[in-house]
Amino acid sequence: MANKAYKFRIYPNDEQKILFAKTFGCVRFIYNKMLSHKIKYYEETKQQLNNTPAQYKAEFEWLKEVDSLALANAQMNLQKAYHNFFRSPKTGFPKFKSKHRNRNSYTTNNQKGSVSIENGYMKLPKIGLVRLKQHRLIPSDYKLKSVTVSQTPSGKYHASVLFEYENQIQEQTTQTFLGLDFSMYELYKDSDGNEPQYPRYYRQSEKKLKKEQRTLSLMQKGSKNREKQRIKVARLHEKIANQRKDFLHKQSRQIADIYDCVCIENLDMKAMSQCLSFGKSVSDNGWGMFVTYLKYKLEEQGKRLVKVDKFFASSQICNICGYKNMATKNLAVRAWNCPGCGTHHDRDINAAINIRNEGMRLVTV
């Protein structure tokens, strides 16, 4: 069995928006309350406390007004984070959820048809039928498992629906290979010499975004005009994110439909994004998101994504004769002539070819 999630836009009415807000608040409250009691209990006894939402419903009766499974899922998330910390402190201790800084969301499970999609509506426990924009058909053999309802900073509502289905994908024979070398500005260059000409959406909107954020910073906190301006800034960020996702989805789809195996470097994008000199450009091109999209699109068709070790000297090796040019450690060297065979190399295309060749070697090993 395999799982697959579809994300849909939902349009609750005014009454349903109030119910959603109440559920978001209760989930946040029960998470913080349980975490607070866990901390206090551990300080007193040096043991872990296994508390449940049911223990708090007598004292806080308004918790009974929302979906009980939403509270149960909040408990499971906290319990997982709490236990992970004791197994490996490097993961960090669970943090309290802020009303202003956290993303509003909750998860509920489908039990005996409590969650369903029918005739352009989604049925949710305690909420009822919510109008849904269904942009794709759901196969009849898919079984609805759970749904996560979330609200964006701009006020839009989405439902991420998890389905379970019988995985019958057969692995294909690997015949066509493509190597991709990460590029700060073009997103990547491939082993065929192509580049996608990434539009750099954040950079395009950066001037306008700075202006709107500056206006927001000058407004009085708690005022209605500040809230209007906050939504304006949030919508601008949302537009940039949607443009980026659309481009990356289309680009990954083109590659996944043509090639049987795609080879990339196993880069640490988090560390690269924290670099002061080019971190903003790394975050703008969304390489990590692109790899995620490419991976699942390939796997859906029985194809492969191969990751080459990040210490593999892809930029230094001549793909013709194998000569290793140490001078290319300098990132300013964008093209070079091989002293061994005289071949002229574009740095990125040569690296992409080497990544493809190394990926082919790993597949056949």
Side-chain angles (χ1 to χ4, degrees), residues 315-355:
S315 299
Q316 302 170 34
I317 301 172
C318 171
N319 69 80
I320 303 297
C321 68
Y323 178 86
K324 192 171 184 178
N325 185 4
M326 303 301 291
T328 58
K329 284 189 173 182
N330 182 359
L331 294 176
V333 178
R334 308 312 302 172
W336 55 283
N337 293 318
C338 177
C341 62
T343 306
H344 179 77
H345 292 298
D346 176 282
R347 177 194 183 92
D348 295 329
I349 296 176
N350 177 65
I353 294 173
N354 285 326
I355 291 170

Side-chain angles (χ1 to χ4, degrees), residues 183-217:
S183 176
M184 198 74 64
Y185 302 104
E186 298 90 359
L187 182 64
Y188 66 80
K189 284 192 177 181
D190 68 26
S191 52
D192 294 336
N194 302 314
E195 57 186 60
Q197 294 296 328
Y198 181 66
R200 304 176 71 198
Y201 296 108
Y202 178 80
R203 295 291 188 180
Q204 289 180 3
S205 303
E206 191 172 16
K207 187 175 181 181
K208 184 178 180 181
L209 191 57
K210 282 183 178 180
K211 179 183 176 182
E212 300 297 345
Q213 288 176 327
R214 191 179 298 114
T215 303
L216 176 65
S217 67

Side-chain angles (χ1 to χ4, degrees), residues 122-184:
M122 173 176 286
K123 186 175 77 170
L124 294 169
K126 300 285 187 175
I127 304 293
L129 295 175
V130 185
R131 190 161 64 88
L132 169 81
K133 185 176 182 181
Q134 188 172 343
H135 57 275
R136 64 179 67 190
L137 293 175
I138 300 167
S140 58
D141 58 333
Y142 276 31
K143 182 181 178 182
L144 199 156
K145 300 292 290 182
S146 65
V147 59
T148 299
V149 178
S150 59
Q151 184 185 21
T152 66
S154 64
K156 297 177 182 177
Y157 292 83
H158 294 91
S160 181
V161 189
L162 182 68
F163 293 94
E164 185 180 68
Y165 65 97
E166 190 72 33
N167 189 4
Q168 297 178 339
I169 299 173
Q170 294 183 350
E171 188 172 340
Q172 293 191 12
T173 303
T174 307
Q175 295 179 338
T176 54
F177 289 79
L178 182 71
L180 301 181
D181 181 52
F182 168 75
S183 176
M184 198 74 64

Side-chain angles (χ1 to χ4, degrees), residues 176-181 190-192 261-265 306-309 312-314 317-322 345 349-365:
T176 54
F177 289 79
L178 182 71
L180 301 181
D181 181 52
D190 68 26
S191 52
D192 294 336
C261 181
V262 179
C263 311
I264 63 170
E265 283 185 296
V306 176
K307 293 186 178 182
V308 174
D309 191 276
F312 174 66
S314 58
I317 301 172
C318 171
N319 69 80
I320 303 297
C321 68
H345 292 298
I349 296 176
N350 177 65
I353 294 173
N354 285 326
I355 291 170
R356 181 198 63 191
N357 295 342
E358 178 67 8
M360 292 173 67
R361 186 188 69 80
L362 293 173
V363 169
T364 55
V365 168

Side-chain angles (χ1 to χ4, degrees), residues 3-4 31 42-43 68 81 89 132 140 143 166 172 183 193 196 224 245 264 267 271 274 279 312:
N3 294 324
K4 188 170 184 178
Y31 185 97
Y42 186 80
E43 289 174 347
S68 60
L132 169 81
S140 58
K143 182 181 178 182
E166 190 72 33
Q172 293 191 12
S183 176
K224 290 185 178 180
K245 287 178 183 177
I264 63 170
L267 300 175
Q274 293 172 348
F312 174 66

Side-chain angles (χ1 to χ4, degrees), residues 94-112:
K95 296 180 180 179
F96 289 99
K97 293 185 179 294
S98 168
K99 180 179 179 180
H100 303 287
R101 297 177 184 175
N102 279 90
R103 175 171 169 261
N104 287 330
S105 68
Y106 77 89
T107 300
T108 186
N109 301 328
N110 179 27
Q111 289 191 339
K112 298 180 180 180

